[in-house]
Amino acid sequence: MKRCGLRVDQLIFSGLQRAIAVITPDERELGVCVVDIGGGTMDLAVWTGGALRHAEVIPYAGNVITSDIAYAFGTPLADAEDIKVKYGCALSELVNKDAKVNVPSVGGRPSRTLQRQTLSEVIEPRCSELLGLVNQKLVAIQEKLRSDGVKHQMAAGIVLTGGASQMHGLVECAERVFQNQVRVGQPANVTGLTDYVQAPCYATAVGLLHYGKESLLTETSEPEQKRAVASWINKLSSWFKKEF
């Protein structure tokens, strides 16, 4: 495919790359669902028997939590995002009742102070709703797999990744919704810039590097294609160094 002067030789599903980066072969074999919670979408990738069985995108994610905070407390969206990242908690019972949060106002008004638990009481219902959407999709996916004759059990549970997965209390909230074991997946099998890339938000990028490496090692076609893959890996590695 060629458009705007760029030639695309291959499209790679990002959910596959996240799974490569954050889940183990045992998890893929036993049955696992990888949920990438980003800013605008939640991406699902369901694995069982060592193979990717289903992939789906839900067009809601961390941005709706940010909007809830902005509207509930009358603070700019940029400040609401910062408050969510620094002080957000998906389960209000985990928050210290005495903890306070400074909330900037709009229109030049002075900032205000509120209890962190009040912030969590805004965040928790939305997190439960988002995870509930994932659970509904997952139930439907499991039913479809069974009807297709694919043995599927979520024996390895749920793996959360993406920037929003780092929110305090999200694992506990997710375990209540899914009634299954949940963990946050961080990129594995990386060396060098580990302090920068071993975070859930970099799972896709790390997965792409793993994919490129495997392609380079197993490619049996012309040397020119091998050089292209190596060049691609070097460019992505350079991006990491430049950004961090």
Side-chain angles (χ1 to χ4, degrees), residues 50-151:
L52 178 65
R53 303 294 183 178
H54 186 90
E56 190 164 339
V57 177
I58 298 176
Y60 304 100
N63 58 344
V64 295
I65 301 174
T66 301
S67 295
D68 286 348
I69 295 171
Y71 284 108
F73 304 114
T75 190
L77 283 168
D79 292 309
E81 176 68 19
D82 189 54
I83 290 169
K84 179 187 73 174
V85 171
K86 291 182 178 179
Y87 307 108
C89 181
L91 210 57
S92 58
E93 64 192 57
L94 300 179
V95 177
N96 185 335
K97 294 182 179 180
D98 297 325
K100 305 290 185 180
V101 179
N102 185 60
V103 180
S105 298
V106 295
R109 299 180 181 88
S111 61
R112 295 149 296 144
T113 300
L114 59 86
Q115 289 185 319
R116 190 182 175 195
Q117 189 173 42
T118 303
L119 171 66
S120 183
E121 287 170 356
V122 171
I123 294 174
E124 182 178 343
R126 184 64 81 176
C127 285
S128 297
E129 179 186 10
L130 292 172
L131 294 170
L133 289 174
V134 174
N135 195 45
Q136 290 175 15
K137 295 287 186 182
L138 189 54
V139 170
I141 292 167
Q142 290 176 298
E143 291 178 354
K144 177 65 166 56
L145 290 174
R146 280 193 290 268
S147 68
D148 292 341
V150 178
K151 182 179 179 181

Side-chain angles (χ1 to χ4, degrees), residues 178-194:
F178 294 113
Q179 293 295 297
N180 203 335
Q181 58 183 338
V182 178
R183 72 174 179 89
V184 174
Q186 297 180 334
N189 301 319
V190 291
T191 58
L193 299 172
T194 55

